[in-house]
Amino acid sequence: MIPIGLLHPPGAIVHGARNGAALTDDLGLDELYAAMAAGDEFIAQVVKTVVPVGLTDCAIIRHRQGVLADCCADPDLPRALYAVTAAATTVRRWTTGRTREPRGKLGLALQPLEALIGHLRQLRQTLEKYAASCTSDGLRRLRRVLAEQLDEDYLARLEQHVAALYFEHGIHFSAALGTGNKADRIMLHEPPAAAKRLRLGRRSGTVFEAFDNFEFHDGDPLRAVIEPPLDGVAEVISRVTDNVQDFFRQLRTELAFYLGGVNLHERLTRSGAPVCFPEPVAAGANLMRATDLRDAVLCLNTSEVIGNDIDADGSTLVVVTGANSGGKSTFLRSAGTAQLLMQAGMFVTAKTFRADVREGSFSHFVRAEDPTMTHGRLDEELSRMGEIIDALTPGALLLCNEPFASTNERDAAAIADPIISALLDSGVKIILVTHLYEFAHRRHLAAHGTDLFLRARRDAEGRRTYRLTAGPPEPTSHGADIFRGVFGPADLESD
């Protein structure tokens, strides 16, 4: 089977990092996948399978980025290729037919192969039509391989061989008498080009010719002679057909991922969101730097999304504090989604983005209270955190949104401090959104060189700017601003 090499170079060893199970819900990825699928259920299944498996090889990430950049530059290219592969995968193998005809089984095997040869020709012609758009290594290689291995002469000869196997002018084979006068050493020969006939015997022996329509009945002695070699040919043809079908199924799967990327790219650019291909950096560098970083899912629903600039290079802990409803959770989702899309080999919603690859991304977000719970919310939070810790590996990324907010601040700080410290010591990078001032303040005073503290800004009138700036945590989340915005001015003490 022809190696495709669109998702990764042929022969490359792919190592993927599986992300946490809660990441889809916490980042709202179902909406992202729906935008990628654009109503195509097959694309939906593919992107839900491929995107969450984060690549850890920067070369393979850049390989995918190159193919996706070609597809986004000329969307007609992936759509035309996907249409060919989708049509090819609808070719069905027939299992019933004129079974009393000796070549009936072979004819059933030949029909799907004939159709697939036509799809192979269409695939090669489509790549030739869009040759100018194939600038990435993956697409150029696929185009070159198809042009070399499936040129018109080759496909024409293949069609001739398939047509000959219908034995329209009869079947020519030789056989000898074996033990008990049974046919032995049966061998098919090149089909005759003359009128229909059944030719038996060796060249130096007796020749029998039979002229009929080869309609045999049970017990017919010629049936036992003819069927075995034809069934053998049918099995070979079936294996060839299986290989071609596997090729089209794999190619359709890989193209579905890229077409999903094109669909998402079109939705995001229509909304006015900035889109760029990020710069992946090898694991261990502890890098994350972005300009105008936005939440991709939020960009799908509105054009009024405010981005953030972040320079977290060298930081293993990013603590985000500040005003209520100031964009902290949105920033957390934007960073997590960008990391996920980068390691899938895709673009991100930012003007620039650079980060090191992580061994999976995990999330611990606050959950709505479940009235059916047999334990309290704190027990539920601790249980979820325990499951995450069991799944984490050194080099992973953990996104925390308001952990342990279900208890008082002092107890929450006492719980969070040893957990956060232990995870950092094990090599996990953490982005933490929190209102736990005691924990954040104590951590800030410790002045760890790898900690970065960001704060949600508000203007002098208390309006949220939805931008983050570097700064120490404050003992207030400015909830009074929200109260005044909803209910009007009031004589409230600062919260």
Side-chain angles (χ1 to χ4, degrees), residues 91-92 94 104 106-116 162 166 237:
V91 174
R92 293 291 179 261
W94 298 98
L106 177 57
L108 293 176
L110 290 170
Q111 292 170 16
L113 181 57
E114 278 185 308
L116 290 172
V162 169
Y166 278 103
I237 295 299

Side-chain angles (χ1 to χ4, degrees), residues 381-403:
E381 283 196 78
L382 290 172
S383 176
R384 281 195 292 121
M385 181 62 78
E387 293 173 357
I388 292 171
I389 291 173
D390 289 340
L392 284 171
T393 58
L397 172 67
L398 176 60
L399 309 170
C400 287
N401 190 16
E402 303 292 356

Side-chain angles (χ1 to χ4, degrees), residues 270-436:
R270 282 200 302 268
S271 73
V275 175
C276 75
F277 282 98
E279 178 187 348
V281 182
N286 285 328
L287 301 177
M288 181 177 284
R289 179 179 293 184
T291 57
D292 202 7
L293 175 64
R294 306 187 189 186
D295 180 4
V297 176
L298 193 58
C299 289
L300 292 173
N301 299 307
T302 177
S303 59
E304 299 178 358
V305 181
I306 296 175
N308 272 287
D309 299 343
I310 178 174
D311 184 357
D313 285 356
S315 300
T316 56
L317 173 64
V318 179
V319 181
V320 186
T321 62
N324 279 319
S325 303
K328 301 187 300 295
S329 297
T330 299
F331 165 75
L332 185 64
R333 288 191 297 269
S334 69
T337 304
Q339 186 77 35
L340 178 83
L341 295 180
M342 182 190 75
Q343 291 193 229
M346 297 178 62
F347 45 78
V348 302
T349 45
K351 290 181 179 177
T352 64
F353 186 84
R354 180 185 70 166
D356 60 321
V357 297
R358 310 303 299 180
E359 290 293 334
S361 296
F362 297 80
S363 59
H364 184 280
F365 280 41
V366 65
R367 292 278 188 270
E369 187 169 0
D370 183 357
T372 65
M373 287 193 305
T374 57
H375 301 285
R377 290 189 64 184
L378 180 59
D379 286 340
E380 184 272 337
E381 283 196 78
L382 290 172
S383 176
R384 281 195 292 121
M385 181 62 78
E387 293 173 357
I388 292 171
I389 291 173
D390 289 340
L392 284 171
T393 58
L397 172 67
L398 176 60
L399 309 170
C400 287
N401 190 16
E402 303 292 356
F404 315 124
S406 55
T407 188
N408 65 75
E409 184 169 330
R410 179 172 296 180
D411 289 345
I415 294 171
D417 187 59
I419 293 176
I420 297 298
S421 297
L423 290 174
L424 293 172
D425 290 342
S426 68
V428 175
K429 179 187 284 188
I430 302 173
I431 304 178
L432 170 68
V433 170
T434 183
H435 281 116
L436 300 178

Side-chain angles (χ1 to χ4, degrees), residues 165-195:
L165 289 176
Y166 278 103
F167 299 107
E168 293 296 333
H169 300 295
I171 304 172
H172 180 198
F173 65 93
S174 61
L177 290 177
T179 304
N181 285 336
K182 293 183 179 180
D184 190 23
R185 289 175 288 169
I186 303 172
M187 180 180 297
L188 279 174
H189 296 279
E190 184 177 349

Side-chain angles (χ1 to χ4, degrees), residues 37-109:
D40 188 308
E41 184 57 35
F42 183 77
I43 296 178
Q45 294 174 2
V46 170
V47 297
K48 289 178 183 179
T49 302
V50 176
V51 174
V53 181
L55 299 173
T56 56
D57 188 326
C58 294
I60 298 178
I61 292 175
R62 286 188 286 268
H63 178 87
R64 283 193 189 175
Q65 289 178 346
V67 176
L68 183 54
D70 278 354
C71 293
C72 291
D74 188 354
D76 290 340
L77 165 63
R79 290 194 169 103
L81 294 174
Y82 183 76
V84 175
T85 58
T89 55
T90 62
V91 174
R92 293 291 179 261
R93 300 275 295 278
W94 298 98
T95 58
T96 59
R98 296 178 62 192
T99 56
R100 301 185 68 85
E101 183 181 346
R103 58 176 175 264
K105 183 177 180 180
L106 177 57
L108 293 176

